[in-house]
Amino acid sequence: MAGSKPQLGSPKSSRARKLLDKIRRMVGSSVPVTIVFGVASGLVFGFALERGQVFDAAVIRDQMTMTRFTMLRMFLSAMATSCVVITGLRTFDLVTLTDLNPIWKRNAIGAGLLGVGMYIAGACPGTVFAQLGASALSQPVLLTLLAGGLFGAWLFGRVEPQVRAALPSHSNADLATLPKVLGAPFWAVSVPMVAAVAAGLYALEQYRPWQVDSYVPLSTSISPAMLWQPVWAPHFAGAVIGVLQLPVFLLTSNGLGASSAFVTMATALASPFDSKIKDRPYFKDYLWTPKNAWQPSAVVGIIAGAFLSSWTAGRVMAAPIIGHKLAFVSGLLLVFGARMANGCTSGHGLTGSGKLNVGSLIAAASMFAGAIATAWLLPPRALFW
């Protein structure tokens, strides 16, 4: 019937899939094209992070002490929107989505370490770059944090064979996603999941309006006009990031993530000092190739996007309350934990959870558990170390 939606397996769907496969091959085989797309997607990501204020160390730490809920709002709205996008991609068979192997112990332990670093640093792997951009590269402690992250990526690469041997993946792929565990179609799980998240966000608004946590008038409403406002509602910023998953998945077959960029950069930086690094199995997968150029390029975009947002809003991020020693250690924990868990707050929290990967849901819970526990156990004065 004319004008009808292409259904799974229909000629229209098949033609669209072939066209997208051709575009993906072009993107995946050309470093310049990959770099342009990576920078463009990073610009949107960084701009939304800064506008939604979730790049700010104080906002992240306040979430873990339950005194401000800006981060939770953006996180849940981005995850739910990602899930909607992924449901559509699966329904119309526009891309082949790979489910993560079940490595639940690594997911839990690694993400817990990431959570410890997340509270101490007031950052996650992706927001480190947004902080660099929003501060106009003017805060030396952020460079220390970045150095710690790069060292953590390199260190995990060196011990990865031992970690893999001690904490192997499960062989049962039927445990990879919630729909597989439940024996249900993807949409039959994703739709109730999104509805539950929406209900939770609505309940949170009744308890504490977002305007209170974002320091804007209570009369501020969420609408398309918010695009031109200096502060976005965290739900709005999260939805923008979630929608960004659509072009990223369509053109790369992978969703948003940040911690892999640390490994690619660490591999490149360590190569002049370690001639055998290219032969090590873990680092070998992160050599500079068209496939691996996307995330480091996105990092450049995140820095530029956050800078553009802060500059047009007329603000510069203040220095995080943290000493250089602790910044390095927390950066190490952030990225070492993320690589151990096989994903970070973006990779697991947004993309993996949106795909309903069981390991990603475990990792997301462990990140927050580790960060919240650290917030209650670590004296504030310790952050100056």
Side-chain angles (χ1 to χ4, degrees):
M1 185 172 64
S4 63
K5 293 181 179 179
Q7 299 299 314
L8 182 63
S10 71
K12 287 184 179 180
S13 176
S14 178
R15 286 196 296 270
R17 176 60 183 265
K18 288 179 180 178
L19 175 61
L20 287 168
D21 285 344
K22 184 177 180 180
I23 294 173
R24 279 191 286 269
R25 284 194 296 270
M26 180 184 71
V27 172
S29 62
S30 171
V31 171
V33 173
T34 301
I35 289 175
V36 169
F37 177 66
V39 171
S41 55
L43 272 167
V44 177
F45 194 18
F47 195 94
L49 282 174
E50 202 282 339
R51 276 293 201 263
Q53 300 181 306
V54 177
F55 75 100
D56 195 310
V59 170
I60 294 173
R61 291 195 185 116
D62 286 351
Q63 178 61 69
M64 305 313 162
T65 57
M66 303 299 173
T67 53
R68 198 169 3 168
F69 296 91
T70 301
M71 180 182 181
L72 184 64
R73 289 182 174 99
M74 178 185 277
F75 182 85
L76 290 178
S77 61
M79 187 206 50
T81 309
S82 296
C83 194
V84 171
V85 168
I86 291 165
T87 300
L89 292 173
R90 282 186 179 271
T91 300
F92 294 103
D93 191 30
L94 295 176
V95 64
T96 299
L97 300 178
T98 304
D99 297 321
L100 297 175
N101 290 329
I103 48 173
W104 298 341
K105 290 181 180 178
R106 278 181 57 176
N107 294 145
I109 297 171
L113 291 174
L114 188 161
V116 173
M118 181 163 60
Y119 175 74
I120 297 172
C124 57
T127 62
V128 169
F129 302 109
Q131 290 178 353
L132 284 166
S135 65
L137 303 177
S138 63
Q139 308 296 346
V141 72
L142 294 176
L143 298 177
T144 304
L145 177 61
L146 176 62
L150 292 170
F151 181 75
W154 174 83
L155 180 62
F156 180 78
R158 294 302 300 264
V159 302
E160 189 271 341
Q162 290 77 18
V163 172
R164 181 162 29 88
L167 301 170
S169 63
H170 296 277
S171 59
N172 190 352
D174 290 336
L175 300 176
T177 68
L178 275 182
K180 288 181 178 179
V181 171
L182 299 173
F186 190 87
W187 66 265
V189 181
S190 66
V191 171
M193 176 77 76
V194 172
V197 170
L201 287 171
Y202 177 79
L204 179 58
E205 287 309 300
Q206 305 312 302
Y207 166 70
R208 187 182 178 92
W210 70 268
Q211 295 93 334
V212 173
D213 288 338
S214 295
Y215 305 122
V216 297
L218 288 173
S219 59
T220 306
S221 60
I222 300 176
S223 71
M226 183 164 280
L227 281 169
W228 316 114
Q229 299 301 315
V231 175
W232 290 358
H235 321 77
F236 186 86
V240 169
I241 292 172
V243 170
L244 179 62
Q245 296 274 33
L246 182 60
V248 172
F249 268 116
L250 286 177
L251 296 181
T252 71
S253 296
N254 295 305
L256 295 170
S259 63
S260 293
F262 280 89
V263 189
T264 302
M265 291 188 291
T267 302
L269 290 171
S271 293
F273 309 99
D274 184 355
S275 60
K276 296 182 180 180
I277 195 169
K278 295 180 180 180
D279 299 322
R280 302 182 191 279
Y282 185 78
F283 293 109
K284 194 174 182 179
D285 291 335
Y286 293 95
L287 299 175
W288 185 260
T289 63
K291 175 186 174 183
N292 292 332
W294 181 79
Q295 277 206 5
S297 303
V299 160
V300 175
I302 292 171
I303 294 172
F307 171 77
L308 179 64
S309 177
S310 63
W311 178 62
T312 54
R315 56 179 174 245
V316 176
M317 191 191 85
I321 302 174
I322 187 173
H324 281 275
K325 294 178 182 177
L326 208 53
F328 186 87
V329 172
S330 60
L332 187 159
L333 288 172
L334 270 178
V335 181
F336 186 95
R339 297 321 303 157
M340 184 178 186
N342 199 27
C344 60
T345 41
S346 301
H348 274 313
L350 306 186
T351 300
S353 295
K355 292 163 69 175
L356 303 181
N357 283 324
V358 175
S360 293
L361 295 170
I362 291 172
S366 295
M367 290 174 203
F368 279 92
I372 291 169
T374 306
W376 290 105
L377 294 174
L378 188 70
R381 63 181 179 276
L383 295 175
F384 290 97
W385 182 65

